[in-house]
Amino acid sequence: MQTPSGSDTALVTTYTLGSFLCFLGVTVWMIYRAHIAAKAVAIHHVLQEDAEIIDAIVEQRYAQQDIQP
């Protein structure tokens, strides 16, 4: 049985570390993209609710003034 040489150990260590860092990078990137998508959905939802509130206020004001929109 042969013992691994220094260059073999360095190669395996570099490959293992590189694989781990790539996996970690892809995982962080996926979490970041999911965060951006969730933020966009939340903003859209809030804007939609605000638009509904504004529409209700405008309709109420029109009704108070007896003006048709």
Side-chain angles (χ1 to χ4, degrees), residues 13-53:
T13 301
T14 302
Y15 177 79
T16 304
L17 185 60
S19 297
F20 175 71
L21 290 177
C22 286
F23 173 77
L24 185 62
V26 168
T27 303
V28 168
W29 180 75
M30 289 172 57
I31 291 170
Y32 175 73
R33 295 300 301 162
H35 171 72
I36 295 298
K39 185 176 178 181
V41 169
I43 289 171
H44 176 73
H45 184 69
V46 167
L47 290 177
Q48 187 176 12
E49 287 179 356
D50 287 349
E52 291 171 0
I53 292 170

